[in-house]
Every structure is written in C-alpha cells, then in structure tokens.
Amino acid sequence: MSYRFALTLFALIFSFGQPESRAQSTVPARALKDSAKFPIGVALNVGNAPGDMADIREIAALINAQFNSIVAENGMKMRFLHPAIDTYDFAAADALADYARTHGMILHGHALIWHHDYQLPVWMKNYQGDWQAMLRDHVQQICQHFAGKVKSWDVVNEAIDNKHPKQYRATLFLEKLGPAYIEQAFIAAHEADPAAVLYYNDFNMESKADKLQFMLDMVDDFQRRHIPLHGIGFQMHVSVDSPAIAQIKTALQAVAARGLKVRISELDVSLNQQQRAASLDPALAQLQKARYREIVSAYVQSVSPAQRGGITFWGLLDKDSWLLDGKPYPDWPLLFDDKGQTKPAYFGVLEGLKE
Ligand code: 9MR
C-alpha cells in the first residue's frame, strides 16, 4: 500500500462522523482569530490601485470575523509604492492601513526589497547612480511613512538562491552592492522606524536543508554584528505531502532557538501539483485538513508564545489563489471555497491551534 493511499484511507476513516464533513458551513465555528494566541492573517490582493478596497466588500465580513492581521498580496511591493525615482505612491496602501486600523487589525508590510522582475520598478532596473543611497532612501521613505501603521516588515524577500542554496541569489541588488545590501536594508529600516519588527522572508527553507543552513548562517552573522533583524518569515507554500512535517519542525525550531520571532508568512497547501484531480473530493479535502492541522500544531509546539509573529494565509478564497494563475489545472489551496464556505482545511487549522 502506497504512503499516499494509506493516508487517504486513514483520512476517509477518520473523517467519517466528523461534523464538519457533513455540514461544513452550518457548523458554528469559533473564529480563527479567537482560537489563536497570536496574529492570524490573510493576504488581500488589494492596494494595487487607489479605490480598489471596494473589491473586498463582498468578503469583508469573512475577513473581519476570522482574521486580526492583513498583508497586501501585491499592493505594497516596490513598483506600487515607488513607481518613479522621485515619486512614492502611498494612496492605495494607505487605504489598506485605514482598513486595518478601523477593524483593529495588524498590518504587515510586504516587501521592501524584492528582486522579482515584475515587481521591480522599471526606473530602478536602469538606475545608474549611488545604489546604496538609493536603496536606503527607498527603505526609509516607506518605513517612515508607515511608522505606527505597519507593525512589521518583510525587509528583504527571497535573497537566497533557490537552485544553488549555498549562495545568495544573483539579483540586481547583489550585482550592485554585494550581499551587504541585505544588512543595509535592515539597518535603514530600523533607523526609520525603530518600533517595527523586521523580518527576512523566504521559501523552501524547510524543504532544503542547505537553504535553511545558509539562512541560519546569515542570521548568526547578523546577530554577532548586531544587525537589527528580528524575525524570519517562512512562506510555507507547501503541498499536501511535502516537505515532511519533521523538516518543518526542524526549521521552525532552529530559528526559535536563536531567540528570533517566527512567522509562517504565506501559508497555502496545494493539492494538485501532480495534476491528477479534477475536483476537490472529500478524501483530498481531509488530507488537506490533516496537513493544515499538523503545520499549525508544529508552529504552536516549536515556537514559544513570545516569539510567535503569527500565521498568515496567502489568500482567502480558493479561486483567488496565486497557485491558479495561468494554470490549466485546478487547485484548492486555501481554507475557504469560492463561495466563502469553510472547508475541512479550516477545521484542521482550528484543531492545530488547540494542540
Ligand atoms: O501572490 C502573488 C501574485 O499575485 C503575484 O503575481 C506574484 C508576483 O508579484 O507574487 C505573489 O506573491 C508572492 C509573494 O509576494 C512572495 N512569495 C511568493 C508569493 C507567491 O508567488
């Protein structure tokens, strides 16, 4: 019997008689945010253009009921906030900050420095002047503007090479400044907003031991030299059966042991990487539930209360997940279906929070 088949069988047997598998949407559930002793967040694909907060009107009730922390899935990336060398455009992000304030939510900022071609402002790609001064100004203008509104920042995102994880990623920033751009960004952010909690954010650090080690070496070096890095964000775009939960725990514990804050910053659980499923059948949904449960439970068990920066889900409804972008096959990675009904995954999170 294959591991996957055994898991499916187990999930099916286990799910039989569980109230939420019979009537998911009618079971009164305790809200996620009320069940956790740490921030429970969701990424919202708003803040990309002024006025687009209106887009979330239909899902606002769900967001407000379940979450106490939000992050812009895209709208606070470099090219949105800093579209021209002398122009910062804060209007849309300010609307998001207002939303957070009005609803008593934390706003996490994502991301001050990210190499991704699509998010890099065109002017920056062609910049010929003093790169250190320019990046410092970029970071400081943004941090100063949002001081008191943004509680924590992803200061640098995805700086480690994913294919060759024993080195930094070959980005424009590395080319211009060497690895020093990373610590320079943290120092600049801390100067501009000393109260902000500053994170390094990346993916696959739980699935690739050498990537984890490279990140830890960077952290150790920063701690020795008192660079103001306060936490690590594990994006945690995982699939239902990989990486192993033991690897996830090892990674979380290694950061926690260094006294840093730990966030699970972009959690989703894809179900269909093998492109075998045409629909979300109950067995698959139960597998996903068990997976969410074990990840949340691993977080609670591995990170002390004072070090928990929280868990943020990378989207609200399945249909809005980035994992579906341009894909010819379906997936159902999040906690709520396309109509905003709770999936078994949601109850997996609730159970994990109790452990
Ligand atoms: O979910 C985001 C998607 O809508 C964007 O097109 C993409 C490029 O900007 O970024 C996605 O979010 C990424 C996040 O910013 C950083 N970690 C990986 C996320 C998924 O690609």
Side-chain angles (χ1 to χ4, degrees):
M1 184 158 57
S2 77
Y3 173 69
R4 194 180 157 78
F5 180 71
L7 264 180
T8 309
L9 202 62
F10 172 77
L12 264 178
I13 294 166
F14 183 75
S15 70
F16 194 74
Q18 297 282 306
E20 66 274 17
S21 59
R22 290 199 301 269
Q24 288 166 26
S25 58
T26 55
V27 175
R30 220 174 149 202
L32 297 176
K33 65 176 184 182
D34 301 327
S35 306
K37 297 188 187 76
F38 50 82
I40 293 284
V42 63
L44 300 177
N45 204 354
V46 290
N48 307 345
D52 69 3
M53 286 306 291
D55 292 352
I56 66 162
R57 243 175 238 141
E58 278 177 27
I59 51 172
L62 188 55
I63 296 166
N64 301 343
Q66 296 290 345
F67 301 95
N68 52 20
S69 174
I70 53 175
V71 58
E73 183 174 351
N74 288 300
M76 290 176 73
K77 291 173 181 172
M78 300 178 93
R79 99 182 165 111
F80 289 108
L81 295 188
H82 196 175
I85 186 161
D86 294 323
T87 310
Y88 288 87
D89 183 350
F90 295 129
D94 280 347
L96 194 63
D98 280 348
Y99 186 90
R101 188 180 43 79
T102 311
H103 295 90
M105 293 174 175
I106 291 168
L107 179 60
H108 174 80
H110 171 83
L112 294 168
I113 305 276
W114 191 26
H115 68 279
H116 195 283
D117 189 58
Y118 173 67
Q119 297 299 345
L120 211 50
V122 174
W123 67 265
M124 202 180 270
K125 293 182 192 171
N126 302 320
Y127 185 69
Q128 298 292 341
D130 179 340
W131 266 79
Q132 185 176 344
M134 180 274 285
L135 275 188
R136 180 181 161 79
D137 197 47
H138 166 83
V139 166
Q140 296 207 320
Q141 295 275 354
I142 295 172
C143 287
Q144 270 157 17
H145 179 83
F146 289 105
K149 298 176 185 163
V150 165
K151 183 176 171 159
S152 49
W153 282 102
D154 291 332
V155 177
V156 177
N157 192 38
E158 301 174 6
I160 302 172
D161 193 316
N162 193 50
K163 289 205 186 89
H164 309 283
K166 290 181 180 167
Q167 61 193 46
Y168 285 111
R169 188 190 286 271
T171 64
L172 197 54
F173 314 123
L174 192 80
E175 182 194 317
K176 301 291 181 189
L177 295 169
Y181 81 87
I182 301 171
E183 63 198 64
Q184 286 164 7
F186 279 93
I187 292 167
H190 187 58
E191 274 176 20
D193 182 4
V197 184
L198 305 180
Y199 285 87
Y200 174 74
N201 193 55
D202 212 330
F203 62 101
N204 281 354
M205 297 184 294
E206 57 291 330
S207 59
K208 296 187 175 185
D210 42 5
K211 191 164 182 179
L212 176 69
Q213 193 54 54
F214 192 86
M215 179 272 287
L216 294 171
D217 290 346
M218 179 187 82
V219 165
D220 291 343
D221 173 45
F222 281 13
Q223 290 194 318
R224 265 193 304 273
R225 295 189 295 118
H226 306 290
I227 306 296
L229 164 82
H230 308 127
I232 295 297
F234 290 90
Q235 293 184 7
M236 210 73 80
H237 298 291
V238 296
S239 72
V240 72
D241 46 14
S242 144
I245 196 66
Q247 289 174 283
I248 292 177
K249 282 184 188 158
T250 300
L252 297 175
Q253 285 163 5
V255 172
R258 284 159 171 81
L260 291 177
K261 292 241 178 195
V262 181
R263 292 181 84 234
I264 294 184
S265 54
E266 305 181 12
L267 181 57
D268 47 34
V269 174
S270 62
L271 291 173
N272 208 13
Q273 300 284 347
Q274 315 297 330
Q275 306 180 31
R276 290 197 190 119
S279 65
L280 177 60
D281 63 52
L284 213 46
Q286 288 300 322
L287 279 180
Q288 187 181 46
K289 174 187 174 181
R291 183 67 164 154
Y292 266 112
R293 175 185 171 163
E294 69 174 6
I295 292 171
V296 172
S297 169
Y299 180 74
V300 174
Q301 285 167 21
S302 305
V303 183
S304 75
Q307 288 173 278
R308 291 178 199 152
I311 298 180
T312 286
F313 300 87
W314 207 240
L316 185 72
L317 310 183
D318 275 343
K319 69 182 169 72
D320 297 327
S321 169
W322 71 286
L323 286 160
L324 276 61
D325 290 349
K327 299 270 170 63
Y329 55 90
D331 211 329
W332 311 271
L334 296 166
L335 305 186
F336 299 92
D337 71 12
D338 296 352
K339 297 195 173 107
Q341 304 291 322
T342 49
K343 293 164 58 193
Y346 171 88
F347 295 92
V349 172
L350 277 184
E351 286 175 18
L353 287 170
K354 278 192 222 132
E355 285 172 13

